[in-house]
Amino acid sequence: MANNQLSTTLEAIQAYAAAHHVPIMEEQGMEELLDLLKDQQPEKILEIGAAIGFSAIKMAEALPACTVDTIERDDSRYQKAVEFIAQTGLQDRIRIFHADALALELSTLNAQYDAIFIDAAKGQYERFFNKYEALLPTGGIIYCDNMAMHGLSDIPIAEVPRRKRTMIRNLAAFKEQMLNHPHYDTELLSSGDGIMICRKK
């Protein structure tokens, strides 16, 4: 597919996200993630939280030999992701599943993944990890976005808006779990909104 069509679609995605308040990865964080993936060179990626397809398309574009499976539960976002992926011509390398990632049967995916990218409900990261890390072989990497939560994770919990406190507590507990996990080497990057990299030993 022509690069100009891909660029046009990516611009359309960004415009739609801005107009409809759909969260997509910040440019700095996206570039950092793509650099990490280029270093790793995974053959199969699982993304939890497709939104409208932006990051799945960017990953497939950056890694021509890689396939991407992505999961989205929201009806309208799923439909927009299907449309945008079709516009790029990358639907042969991106499979999108319309499902709640916490309810999806692992057998539906029927795959193992070199990389798993978690970018869905922030308060559920530990549950996503516990469910899907079984699909990751030794040496595989789990990437988690939004670990800084726009600075909320770095301030006293009493100063966090009340409606976000449970999410921030859950995210902090997950970060602590991964930094001390006996079967993962974990590091935190400050790029974008904070990326956590967990490599399976």
Side-chain angles (χ1 to χ4, degrees):
M1 188 206 63
N3 283 338
N4 59 347
Q5 177 58 45
L6 180 56
S7 298
T8 299
T9 301
L10 288 169
E11 288 171 9
I13 293 173
Q14 290 170 307
Y16 182 92
H20 296 85
H21 309 290
V22 177
I24 61 174
M25 279 192 80
E26 300 171 5
E27 185 174 352
Q28 182 190 5
M30 188 79 248
E31 291 306 314
E32 180 67 46
L33 175 64
L34 294 179
D35 285 344
L36 292 166
L37 289 169
K38 287 174 186 174
D39 286 343
Q40 185 195 357
Q41 287 294 312
E43 293 181 7
K44 286 189 73 67
I45 298 172
L46 173 64
E47 176 186 44
I48 300 170
I52 53 174
F54 180 70
S55 47
I57 291 168
K58 292 285 285 186
M59 290 188 288
E61 175 198 13
L63 299 158
C66 181
T67 59
V68 179
D69 286 351
T70 186
I71 305 167
E72 178 55 48
R73 71 177 184 178
D74 182 83
D75 295 348
S76 60
R77 291 181 183 182
Y78 167 79
Q79 292 297 339
K80 291 305 294 185
V82 169
E83 290 175 29
F84 285 132
I85 290 166
Q87 288 174 27
T88 65
L90 291 170
Q91 63 268 36
D92 60 330
R93 292 200 292 117
I94 301 174
R95 288 196 306 172
I96 181 164
F97 295 83
H98 187 197
D100 180 336
L102 291 174
L104 184 69
E105 294 287 342
L106 296 186
S107 58
T108 303
L109 298 171
N110 190 31
Q112 279 221 316
Y113 300 94
D114 310 296
I116 297 175
F117 176 45
I118 303 177
D119 189 22
K122 313 310 167 198
Q124 303 294 335
Y125 273 21
E126 183 175 351
R127 293 179 70 196
F128 293 136
F129 168 82
N130 289 339
K131 177 169 183 171
Y132 286 97
E133 69 104 13
L135 303 181
L136 195 76
T138 299
I141 301 175
I142 295 177
Y143 302 90
C144 303
D145 192 31
N146 300 117
M147 295 305 297
M149 275 309 298
H150 310 289
L152 291 180
S153 63
D154 298 324
I155 64 175
I157 196 70
E159 296 176 22
V160 173
R162 190 175 299 275
R163 63 189 172 83
K164 294 187 176 181
R165 288 180 188 173
T166 297
M167 175 185 67
I168 294 299
R169 286 193 185 98
N170 288 352
L171 205 58
F174 175 58
K175 178 169 66 175
E176 190 68 20
Q177 172 192 328
M178 295 313 303
L179 288 171
N180 295 286
H181 202 295
H183 304 305
Y184 282 81
D185 288 321
T186 299
E187 62 178 313
L188 280 164
L189 301 181
S190 58
S191 307
D193 194 29
I195 299 174
M196 186 163 70
I197 306 162
C198 315
R199 185 186 298 272
K200 196 170 192 176
K201 297 179 183 178

